[in-house]
Amino acid sequence: MKLKKAVIPAAGLGTRFLPATKAQPKEMLPIVDKPSIQYIVEEAVAAGIEDIIIITGKHKKSIADHFDRNIELEMALKEQGKEKLLKIIDDLSSMIDIHYVRQKKAKGLGHAIYCARTFIGDDPFAVLLGDDIVVSKKPVIQQMAEIYEKEGKPLIGVKKVREQEVSKYGIVKHSEINNGVYKVDQLIEKPSIDKAPSNIAIMGRYIITPDIFDILKNTKPGIKGEIQLTDALNELAQHRTLQAYEFEGKRYDVGNKLGFLKATVDFALSREDLAVEFKEYLYQLIKQKI
């Protein structure tokens, strides 16, 4: 079945970026001049997704405003003859249908996904986490969709990490591998180095079948009273084959400050309008610090 729908959870409190996120969503923090959530939406669109639902929370209205039309701004840009900016704004508000549902309580990623059940219905769907931005020739979700559409098996996007980093991630225990696709035996959330079965880490991209909703409905809350998607996927793996795919591309963890800074620098250096002057500034700055 062709993948047409995507879920983007965006209901978190963004505590790692306080005080900046006290009055604005973390997902709206800009990387250069584009909010981080826009990169996620653009990946989904580039992969052929037709409908997106964003799971929001309290004080997240600006996300919907960002993807909606702003008539006053459009008129002002038109009057000022700023056609290039006008096209950017128009393309942003018209690129895809986006729906919204509020997660009324912070009960974890699994619960956030469960909030999308009515929208998803009986269709397979992608999940894209906003903390993970990936630069790749082919969108990660498209890479994964091509595998799913051939085999019809739920799929998790993964990358190898250094051994000392396994305790930061959900880790895959696997029994088979074929062309970068692993058969998942178990997912272990943030294991210690000595208990990690591999260094294959979950990286914020999933393609999931709708039978996950019945599992999520009955998944008991874990740490901090949250319903974990990892627990539900482990249960799903008992009933059908669950796979993990080591996707191609450079991944940025913009959910932490260092990763956010790295993404900002790299994205700025990739811009024709900024690269030359910014590179010179960084060069001079480093010379002063050495």
Side-chain angles (χ1 to χ4, degrees), residues 24 64 120 145 158 194 203 222 249 289:
Q24 68 171 322
I120 295 300
V158 297
D194 59 315
M203 290 296 178
K289 298 296 182 181

Side-chain angles (χ1 to χ4, degrees), residues 4-10 37 41 49-57 60-61 63-65 67-68 93 95-103 112 115-120:
K4 296 182 179 180
K5 295 179 179 179
V7 177
I8 301 176
I37 195 169
V41 170
I49 296 295
E50 298 176 6
D51 286 288
I52 290 174
I53 186 166
I54 298 179
I55 312 301
T56 64
K60 301 271 184 168
K61 184 177 179 294
I63 294 176
D65 288 343
F67 292 103
D68 200 358
S93 61
M95 66 177 166
I96 193 170
D97 290 329
I98 301 180
H99 312 264
Y100 302 88
V101 65
R102 178 177 287 187
Q103 185 183 21
C115 291
R117 64 194 182 281
T118 301
F119 171 79
I120 295 300

Side-chain angles (χ1 to χ4, degrees), residues 161-207:
V161 298
R162 294 178 298 176
E163 283 190 4
Q164 57 267 39
E165 294 180 317
V166 294
S167 61
K168 300 177 182 178
Y169 298 94
I171 297 296
V172 175
K173 179 181 179 182
H174 63 89
S175 56
E176 300 175 17
I177 178 173
N178 184 23
N179 295 324
V181 179
Y182 302 84
K183 181 181 181 297
V184 176
D185 295 327
Q186 187 180 6
L187 303 174
I188 302 171
E189 190 65 31
K190 298 180 180 179
S192 58
I193 294 176
D194 59 315
K195 293 184 179 180
S198 75
N199 66 335
I200 308 298
I202 303 170
M203 290 296 178
R205 296 293 184 275
Y206 309 79
I207 294 177

Side-chain angles (χ1 to χ4, degrees), residues 1 14 43 54 89 102 116 128 136 145-146 159-160 162 166 182 198 200 207 244 250 257 277 279:
M1 182 180 286
E43 178 187 330
I54 298 179
I89 296 301
R102 178 177 287 187
L128 299 89
S136 56
E146 290 173 358
K159 279 283 192 184
K160 291 176 182 174
R162 294 178 298 176
V166 294
Y182 302 84
S198 75
I200 308 298
I207 294 177
K250 183 173 182 179
K257 294 170 187 175
E277 290 185 46
K279 188 180 295 184

